[in-house]
Amino acid sequence: MQQAIPYKSWPLPCIDATSHRARSTTTLGHNGRGKDVLNIVSENAVIVLARKGCCMSHVVRRLLLTLGVNPAVHEIDEENEAGILNELGTICKGTENNKMVQLPAVFIGGRLFGGLDKVMATHISGDLISVLKDAGALWL
Amino acid sequence: MPFSNLPLLVYIYQIWEEEGIEAIETWNVGEQQELEGDEESKLSIALDINSTCAKVAFFIISKSMNSPTPQFVPSRLGIYEPIHQIGIWGENFKSNGNPNTSTSVIVEVDNKLENESETTSHEMLTASNNYKQEASKPIDKIQRRLAQNREAARKSRLRKKAYVQQLENSRLKLIQLEQELQRARQQGLYMGGVLEGSHIGFSGTVNSGIAAFEMEYGRWVDVQHRQICELRTALNAHISDIELRILVESGIGHYFELFRMKSTVAKADVFYVISGVWKTSAERFFSWIGGFRPSELLKVLVPQLDPLTEQQILEVCNLKQSCQQAEDALSQGMEKLQETVSSTVAGGPVDEVSYIPQVATAMEKLEALVSFVNQADHLRQETLQQMSRILTTRQAARGLLALGEYFHRLRALSTLWATRPPEPSLP
């Protein structure tokens, strides 16, 4: 596991308030910087970073809901978008090497998972549920 | 000849009373000048002489299309049946002083008949004598019959006019359609083998991206058809798995090629892709975000794949469910997009003339549609790939054959539908 982002591991049997609470959509104000975003990302087992009013984030959220996961959705203002993506890009060196972070971006277990493409592909191949379970977003 | 001054062709039909209509003889009387006007103006003048003698019918014919070639055979006047048996009716008798009209001719005929009663050179003179004697009596009858004839003639002519008009209109329409067809073909707009009239209109917008796609798609369909035939032959011939694998790979790759093509043209005009006009009508019936629903494809495929192992059945079941979930998520996203665009367009005060801000914003939102098309195709691609992972080579080959054959039949259905006989129009 990449340790680029500080990640708190959740003790599984313990129902952690953070992972379970239906966190409402948060919006970073004009002070939003990459670091704040990273904090939020690390606090949630599953979080979707999206532009305001993006319909694709709606799709991601719907899909995750069907699986029993209620993801946090974090909306990014247009003006902050470039800055945040930059920060994320430099910090998140996930399996997709040097790929620009596309919005909507899904973070599972504090780690950048990918865009809607990746979520769909993983879902169809049947692996998504195990990934979510591993991150503590799903149990049972 | 007696009627030498008549400016018309005069056909004189005679019918012998006792024997019904005998041989009909005609003679050409007088100079052959044609009546003015290009319509037929056959006139029948039944002079009901009401005698045992001849009842003479004069058919004065100008440029009648139905008129037979005049036979210049001298005729005899005899006794005959009333003229209404021979239904050739003519123009209104309007006395307008034109020497070429019937009225004056008739008058002339009458005159001639009367005048010629003195001459002795022809048998007809006997009849004309008789006519002269009996002329006063049946004037009413004559007038009535003339009126009837006129009426019938007018009706007939109107009917003919209407029919010709209809023909002309149809002819013009046909020329128009042929021209449009020509234009559309030249621009390479060949839509799935069936050109439907309602779509020819958009040939006006020559979008090179669309034109290129149209051509490529036409070729894609041909290659698809060829691949299906190869698969069928290969499966029946029981070739080795290795060779079959090659065919399967190229079959799947062919679908991926289509998704690439669609992605390119979606950037040019996403509405074009979503509308599905590039497909045949039956295929379009099943359209979901610019293509087929993956779950529908699975329903078509799976019955053709028997027998499946227990493991395979389970995996296919999971795949069906995943597909359905993904489709639902995308559909809901589309609905959200519709709501967003709709509220954007409808927003703002309507009493202001300028709607540019609303429309401009809506345009930005619509760009998300391209993503939807791409995601939908991506889903189709992933589904196909997962299926090829689950199945053996032979099963995958059968699956591809089933899929290709399904689309082929849908296209055939579209063609059949387009060429079905038109419904009878209301009278």
Side-chain angles (χ1 to χ4, degrees), chain A residues 52-56 58-60 62-63 66-67 78 116-118 120-126, chain B residues 319 321-323 325-326 329-330 332-333 336-337 340 368 371-372 375 378-379 382-383 386 389:
Chain A
K52 245 187 183 159
C54 173
C55 297
M56 280 303 169
H58 192 74
V59 175
V60 176
R62 285 271 131 207
L63 187 56
T66 338
L67 301 177
E78 239 184 280
L116 181 55
D117 268 15
K118 184 90 200 290
M120 284 285 190
T122 322
H123 178 58
I124 290 295
S125 64
Chain B
L319 181 56
Q321 194 184 30
S322 307
C323 262
Q325 289 165 341
L330 278 172
Q332 289 184 30
K336 178 116 195 292
L337 182 60
T340 311
S371 311
F372 273 100
Q375 288 300 329
H378 180 67
L379 182 60
E382 289 298 320
T383 306
Q386 179 69 359
R389 274 181 229 128

Side-chain angles (χ1 to χ4, degrees), chain B residues 3 6 8-14 24-30 32-34 41-45 56-73 75-77 80 83 86 88 105 109 124:
Chain B
F3 302 156
L6 285 180
L8 303 158
L9 291 172
V10 178
Y11 294 80
I12 303 180
Y13 293 79
Q14 334 156 35
I24 295 176
E25 296 168 312
T26 65
W27 79 41
N28 174 26
V29 181
Q32 299 169 39
Q33 283 176 36
E34 294 170 359
S41 48
K42 288 185 225 175
L43 305 167
S44 80
I45 310 153
V56 180
F58 296 97
F59 292 86
I60 302 177
I61 304 164
S62 69
K63 271 172 87 170
S64 160
M65 299 204 277
N66 298 332
S67 61
T69 320
Q71 300 158 47
F72 304 103
V73 175
S75 69
R76 294 172 303 159
L77 286 177
Y80 60 98
I83 303 310
I86 305 171
I88 305 173
V105 167
V109 167
M124 182 192 283

Side-chain angles (χ1 to χ4, degrees), chain A residues 68-125:
Chain A
V69 177
N70 189 0
V73 178
H74 189 91
E75 288 181 345
I76 301 180
D77 282 334
E78 239 184 280
E79 55 252 23
N80 301 320
E81 191 179 312
I84 292 173
L85 287 181
N86 255 333
E87 297 249 15
L88 286 175
T90 51
I91 294 172
C92 304
K93 284 175 190 136
T95 47
E96 297 101 284
N97 291 327
N98 297 330
K99 247 191 189 168
M100 267 295 291
V101 177
Q102 295 265 356
L103 291 180
V106 179
F107 290 81
I108 299 181
R111 205 177 115 223
L112 174 64
F113 182 71
L116 181 55
D117 268 15
K118 184 90 200 290
V119 173
M120 284 285 190
T122 322
H123 178 58
I124 290 295
S125 64

Side-chain angles (χ1 to χ4, degrees), chain B residues 125-142:
Chain B
L125 302 174
T126 325
S128 60
N129 276 333
N130 293 328
Y131 163 67
K132 195 178 160 195
Q133 290 162 17
E134 311 296 332
S136 48
K137 267 207 222 165
I139 287 297
D140 291 334
K141 259 193 182 176
I142 294 168

